[in-house]
Amino acid sequence: MSNLRVDGARLWSTLMETAAFGRTAKGGLCRLALSPEDAAVRRWFVEACEAIGCAVTIDQLGNIFARRTGSDPDLPPIAIGSHLDTQPTGGRFDGILGVLAGLEVLRTLEDADVVTRHPLEVVNWTNEEGARFAPAMLCAGVFAGAFDLDYALSREDRNGVSFAAALAESGFDGTAPVGGRPLAAHFELHIEQGPVLEAEGLEIGVVSGVQGIRWFDVEIAGLACHAGTMPMKLRRDALQAAARLAVAIDEIGRSDPDTSLSTIGIFEAYPGSRNTVPETIRMSVDLRHPRAEGLDRLEAAFHAAAEEIAAALSVTIEIKPVWSSPPVVFHPEVVGAIDAATAQLGYSRRSIVSGAGHDSVYISRVAPTGMIFVPCEDGISHNETENIMPIEAERGANVLLQAVLQFDSAA
Ligand SMILES: [Zn+2]
């Protein structure tokens, strides 16, 4: 079985064939969750799975599970999951590669007449992107108990259409309960969506986990006064404090460039008049690190810098936490199976932390989980030009196949 390989040409042709559902003029995809385009690719996926004898189950959030029977009926399934929905100007591979590579794994096993011990389930998780219904990773989140079913069903898109209404319209309003059943493991193949693997000339990323994120709103309060009459030494200029804080936050991120990231995405000055010293600055801060203690260290440095600057420039700096997503460490057995499979296949690899969220973030709360990354061109994703080479898709799917087989025989 260690000699078994996927059919790379077949995998590529399914990627190209399904890219017709929601294709944009620039060659990308617009396949918002539960849109007619999403419903079309879902019907294609169900048909393809049924054609190789899978039993397809759809739960109350439209998550699709295509199950191939194993030899031991007492074992829970090994899941291979990702998402078929996209950003409004999305690419052809983000999420889609993981689902269609799962299908390719099942097709390969079917062709070779291999029966695994565990049942295998290829999963399409609904609304991973969060582009139509916020938040992202919504339905994997409900499966894992992070959100309630009713919370998901009541989400509304920009036009006031509820998730429940869109789901019914799509025809994928299934009846199976969401979650509440064991998975032996969850494997997800995904494009890296960043530049690291390509820059290092590596073929596979063995994902060790997903970095944690903390968001803050910052308000700096000084005093508005006349730009022509108030001496510099008497000013309480909120913008000058914000400028120093911006530099400090950048330095905090650069203090450990392999792991730490710090970003100010929003920066607004009031009252916004040419001859008035700014009184108020509102800015956002985004801190990321793969470990909780690392996030604590970044946050402590951020607070210390704010205090020092506030005292030096006679302003007040208020820091309000608005969101926190804890770091995820993937399961050693699943990560180990992926690493061993990659080594056995002879692909170059490195351990890598995911910078983006994925369905696997939530599923890791209820099942041993791991992810495989393949490089994408220039690290570009969430973009219509998102691109990978056929050989990269094939390598990722081979790792997926062999890792699942290793886990199946070892677990
Ligand atoms: Zn994705």
Side-chain angles (χ1 to χ4, degrees):
M1 284 218 285
S2 62
N3 293 324
L4 205 56
R5 299 289 180 272
V6 302
D7 181 336
R10 179 172 56 190
L11 171 59
W12 191 255
S13 87
T14 63
L15 284 161
M16 294 305 106
E17 185 185 344
T18 60
F21 303 113
R23 189 193 307 278
T24 61
K26 289 184 189 164
L29 287 179
C30 177
R31 202 153 72 203
L32 295 174
L34 305 177
S35 62
E37 296 78 21
D38 187 33
V41 75
R42 285 163 165 270
R43 286 191 295 272
W44 182 97
F45 175 63
V46 168
E47 237 173 72
C49 293
E50 285 176 343
I52 52 167
C54 290
V56 173
T57 303
I58 296 161
D59 73 14
Q60 291 163 291
L61 290 175
N63 294 319
I64 303 174
F65 304 85
R67 184 181 178 104
R68 184 170 189 266
T69 312
S71 61
D72 186 341
D74 296 330
L75 290 176
I78 296 173
I80 302 171
S82 202
H83 59 96
L84 291 170
D85 70 323
T86 76
Q87 291 284 319
T89 54
R92 296 169 297 168
F93 305 100
D94 171 4
I96 301 154
L97 175 64
V99 178
L100 297 185
L103 171 63
E104 178 55 37
V105 165
L106 297 196
R107 284 173 164 173
T108 301
L109 295 173
E110 194 64 21
D111 289 349
D113 261 326
V114 172
V115 178
T116 50
R117 289 167 59 230
H118 298 75
L120 301 184
E121 287 188 8
V122 178
V123 189
N124 172 42
W125 298 107
T126 304
N127 192 61
E128 191 277 344
E129 292 291 357
R132 182 172 183 193
F133 300 102
M137 297 126 61
L138 179 66
C139 299
V142 178
F143 187 94
F147 310 117
D148 293 337
L149 177 64
D150 288 340
Y151 171 79
L153 290 169
S154 64
R155 299 296 86 207
E156 287 185 357
D157 71 9
R158 235 180 265 178
N159 302 317
V161 178
S162 72
F163 184 102
L167 182 64
E169 177 74 27
S170 76
F172 281 85
D173 47 341
T175 54
V178 183
R181 66 189 176 92
L183 301 176
H186 183 260
F187 287 81
E188 183 170 7
L189 168 63
H190 206 282
I191 60 169
E192 182 198 342
Q193 304 183 281
V196 174
L197 293 175
E198 185 183 68
E200 297 183 4
L202 297 173
E203 293 164 331
I204 295 290
V206 179
V207 186
S208 59
V210 182
Q211 66 185 353
I213 309 167
R214 291 184 192 171
W215 281 358
F216 305 89
D217 281 342
V218 179
E219 184 165 321
I220 303 179
L223 184 70
C225 55
H226 197 296
T229 58
M230 184 63 77
M232 299 301 283
K233 64 178 180 189
L234 296 179
R235 291 184 183 190
R236 296 167 53 206
D237 186 330
L239 191 139
Q240 291 304 325
R244 284 160 175 72
L245 187 57
V247 171
I249 287 166
D250 188 60
E251 283 168 354
I252 287 165
R254 290 175 194 276
S255 63
D256 183 2
D258 289 338
T259 49
S260 304
L261 296 163
S262 58
T263 305
I264 298 165
I266 299 171
F267 194 100
E268 296 164 343
Y270 304 94
S273 169
R274 192 181 296 274
N275 53 359
T276 299
V277 172
E279 178 161 270
T280 309
I281 301 293
R282 294 203 182 95
M283 54 197 255
S284 64
V285 173
D286 173 315
L287 301 177
R288 300 185 187 223
H289 196 282
R291 289 182 298 281
E293 57 273 20
L295 280 171
D296 289 343
R297 188 171 51 72
L298 298 183
E299 188 177 342
F302 166 39
H303 279 281
E307 263 171 48
E308 196 185 314
I309 292 161
L313 282 95
S314 303
V315 299
T316 60
I317 302 182
E318 189 196 351
I319 298 173
K320 232 185 346 183
V322 290
W323 184 57
S324 168
S325 175
V328 171
V329 177
F330 285 141
H331 196 279
E333 272 172 47
V334 181
V335 176
I338 291 168
D339 193 59
T342 311
Q344 173 221 315
L345 286 156
Y347 300 150
S348 59
R349 69 196 195 279
R350 63 163 279 170
S351 174
I352 191 168
V353 173
S354 174
H358 297 288
D359 292 308
S360 285
V361 167
Y362 285 130
I363 302 305
S364 70
R365 296 186 185 186
V366 290
T369 293
M371 292 187 74
I372 304 155
F373 277 176
V374 291
C376 58
E377 197 174 294
D378 299 329
I380 302 285
S381 182
H382 283 196
N383 188 307
E384 289 159 278
T385 64
E386 180 184 278
N387 198 27
I388 65 173
M389 291 186 296
I391 186 66
E392 293 168 329
E394 182 178 333
R395 286 190 200 111
N398 274 329
V399 173
L400 185 62
L401 169 69
Q402 285 298 328
V404 166
L405 288 175
Q406 292 210 10
F407 188 90
D408 178 60
S409 56

